[in-house]
Amino acid sequence: SRRRHTRSLCDWSSDVCSSDLDESPNRLDANIDLAIAVMNRQLEDDEATALEMIESLADRHPEDLRAAYVAGVLLQRAGEDERASACFRRVVEGDPSDAYAWYHLGLVLERETPDDALEAYREAARLDPYLRSAWFRIGSVAARIGDDETSDEALSVFERLETNPRGLSVKPIYGRLGTKAMAAPHAM
């Protein structure tokens, strides 16, 4: 099955990253890649283990945007929106062109500050007009705050992108969370 295949690839990635770390234990890129592989392996405690790994890296390397981004994704999944927000804010400040970071910032802001979330989603859609998930969230949040015109326009774009081969949706799987949540090409 596809899930078993994905787990096998993540096991393989985890093994490759571990062997890289055996040779050079201080390689930041390989440590981040290992945390990403563990996160995507999807065994019972993998997300908690990956979060512990990546938070340690993010704390020791506050300048590293990949570590902050992956920490934000895992904190969001753990329901730690405030802490995730701090991670995503660090990413959008360091790389304001990352549509996925803006999208995830919107996700963690949505419950408490929907107007701020809407602005984050708008920025994500501006940066990547094919990011269907951003258009959907714009439509959803705009409807919730009573901006029906914006909601209708955004949901129309979301629907038009459904058949567009360039249209992308953010999903909690490898390759659909943005490039910062993928293995570094130079690390493998």
Side-chain angles (χ1 to χ4, degrees):
S1 82
R2 184 180 172 117
R3 185 174 172 91
R4 197 170 338 141
H5 176 72
T6 300
R7 187 174 295 150
S8 295
L9 286 174
C10 291
D11 286 341
W12 175 82
S13 295
S14 179
D15 292 344
V16 168
C17 292
S18 292
S19 68
D20 282 352
L21 289 172
D22 288 343
E23 294 173 21
S24 302
N26 295 321
R27 277 187 53 195
L28 179 59
D29 60 341
N31 276 285
I32 294 170
D33 289 346
L34 178 59
I36 291 169
V38 170
M39 170 181 76
N40 285 291
R41 191 172 51 188
Q42 300 176 354
L43 297 177
E44 187 174 334
D45 294 323
D46 280 348
E47 284 197 5
T49 301
L51 178 56
E52 187 176 305
M53 295 165 68
I54 202 72
E55 275 194 303
S56 173
L57 293 169
D59 288 346
R60 289 193 327 260
H61 302 277
E63 76 290 348
D64 192 274
L65 300 181
R66 281 180 70 219
Y69 183 83
V70 174
V73 167
L74 287 165
L75 286 164
Q76 180 216 348
R77 287 185 188 180
E80 298 281 344
D81 288 353
E82 192 172 313
R83 292 173 58 208
S85 174
C87 291
F88 292 127
R89 285 185 192 282
R90 187 170 5 152
V91 176
V92 299
E93 287 169 9
D95 182 5
S97 66
D98 188 332
Y100 285 84
W102 283 105
Y103 173 80
H104 279 90
L105 178 60
L107 286 178
V108 297
L109 294 174
E110 192 172 314
R111 191 175 12 248
E112 297 295 324
T113 55
D115 290 327
D116 292 341
L118 185 58
E119 289 310 309
Y121 293 138
R122 283 183 169 141
E123 185 63 12
R126 185 189 70 75
L127 291 166
D128 185 349
Y130 296 100
L131 191 57
R132 290 184 74 224
S133 298
W135 291 108
F136 180 80
R137 299 308 318 151
I138 291 168
S140 177
V141 173
R144 197 169 97 211
I145 63 175
D147 185 349
D148 294 336
E149 184 178 335
T150 297
S151 177
D152 290 345
E153 289 172 8
L155 292 175
S156 175
V157 173
F158 170 77
E159 289 172 359
R160 279 196 316 270
L161 288 173
E162 182 175 18
T163 57
N164 188 320
R166 292 178 67 186
L168 290 173
S169 294
V170 178
K171 295 183 178 177
I173 58 173
Y174 187 78
R176 299 300 286 275
L177 286 170
T179 57
K180 285 182 178 65
M182 296 175 66
H186 59 279
M188 298 303 258

